[in-house]
Each structure stands twice: as C-alpha cells, then as structure tokens.
Amino acid sequence: MRKIIFAILVIFMVCNGVVAQSLGKMTLGCKRADIPLSLPRGFNICKTNTNNQLIYTTSKGDEHISFYLENNIVYKIVMHKFVDDTSNANKLNSKLEELLMNLYGAWGEPSYVGENVYWNFPSSKCTFSYVVSTQTLELDPLRFSGTSGLTTFYKCYADIKLEKIKNLFE
C-alpha cells in the first residue's frame, strides 16, 4: 500500500511540479525573503517594495524584474530585459534569436499565436514578447568617419513573463 501511495505522489509531483517553475534561479512559489538570493547578477536595487510587488532594477535602470506576491509567496515574475541599441537590424535580430533560443533550451518548443510566443505547463504559463523602437538620425560626417545621411537606430526590449496558473481552465 505504501508503494502505491508513493508512486501516486511521485506521479503528482512530476505532472504538476518542476517544469517551468523558474526563470533562472527565480522561482514561482518562493517566499518573499528568498527573492534577493535568486536575483541575477546586476539586479540589486529595490525600486518598489509593497505588500503585493517587488521591483528590482540594475544600476543603469534600463532593465527590471517584477515579483508579484500573494500572501508573501511569488505567483508571477516579469523580466523586462534590454536586448540592444544598434543601427544594425541583423545584429538586433541575432540577439533576439539568441535570447529566444535560451528559453527554448530551458522550456522546450513554444507555441505561437501570430507574433506571441508562449509555453503552457501543468502549473504555470510563460510568455515572451518584445518591442523595437526606431529613431532616424542624420549623421554628422565629421563624427562618424565620413558617413553621412539618414541612419535608423533600433532599441529593443524583451519581456519574459512566468506566472502560476490558478486553475486548469485558465
């Protein structure tokens, strides 16, 4: 009888447990006090500290991680990540692809709806999105090695959201 109960417990943990419960060392279901220990390198400034949300940022302030809490337990993590600021669209695409491939490695093949990339797991869901803003500037040939004319610069940020599913029908 004990072996059957143990087998059921193991099956339950495998089906509901560990898959996509973390983003790096940041884990859904962790306690508020454990959050500073799980932060990636460089995220050490607590910008917002309320009962329901903690936001950590980098010293530059261009990236942040938000932890959403319920009863001091993390139920959602949102990472707002700076990808690149460049005039080379191919370089930007390459960096976005590298970021997405890292998520593929951690969470497997995603699903798509249009440009939305997402993963569904038994107890969590994950989404990946990005925004590219453009700015066209006229370059000064004296400052930019004889290059003149209009040049487009691209600035890209990505959002990675990991959140606990409250019920199976969500």
Side-chain angles (χ1 to χ4, degrees):
M1 183 68 170
R2 285 184 182 180
K3 289 182 182 181
I4 294 172
I5 292 173
F6 180 74
I8 292 171
L9 181 61
V10 169
I11 291 170
F12 178 77
M13 286 174 36
V14 168
C15 291
N16 289 320
V18 200
V19 177
Q21 294 295 309
S22 65
L23 179 59
K25 292 190 303 183
M26 301 173 290
T27 306
L28 293 177
C30 75
K31 295 180 180 177
R32 180 186 200 98
D34 297 332
I35 292 172
L37 301 173
S38 69
L39 291 170
R41 176 174 279 147
F43 289 88
N44 54 7
I45 300 168
C46 188
K47 186 170 127 181
T48 302
N49 186 352
T50 66
N51 288 338
N52 300 329
Q53 185 180 23
L54 289 170
I55 299 176
Y56 287 87
T57 186
T58 59
S59 59
K60 290 182 183 179
D62 59 349
E63 297 182 301
H64 64 267
I65 300 172
S66 299
F67 294 89
Y68 295 87
L69 305 154
E70 189 174 286
N71 298 324
N72 285 325
I73 303 293
V74 175
Y75 73 90
K76 180 166 63 169
I77 303 168
V78 178
M79 177 182 262
H80 182 72
K81 185 170 184 57
F82 175 72
V83 177
D84 203 357
D85 185 8
T86 182
S87 62
N88 185 337
N90 290 332
K91 180 181 173 188
L92 181 64
N93 288 336
S94 176
K95 285 196 172 187
L96 271 171
E97 184 178 321
E98 180 182 327
L99 180 58
L100 196 53
M101 291 307 291
N102 287 336
L103 294 175
Y104 279 37
W107 296 332
E109 184 71 26
S111 299
Y112 298 91
V113 173
E115 299 231 349
N116 297 319
V117 179
Y118 66 94
W119 292 261
N120 281 321
F121 298 101
S123 59
S124 64
K125 60 184 174 182
C126 317
T127 58
F128 172 82
S129 60
Y130 64 92
V131 174
V132 178
S133 61
T134 59
Q135 182 179 16
T136 303
L137 300 172
E138 187 166 354
L139 297 180
D140 179 6
L142 297 174
R143 287 187 60 212
F144 293 98
S145 313
T147 304
S148 63
L150 297 176
T151 301
T152 302
F153 289 91
Y154 306 94
K155 186 179 255 186
C156 181
Y157 287 92
D159 285 325
I160 304 165
K161 185 187 331 179
L162 174 64
E163 63 186 305
K164 188 174 182 178
I165 295 175
K166 295 189 181 188
N167 64 49
L168 294 176
F169 301 105
E170 194 173 339

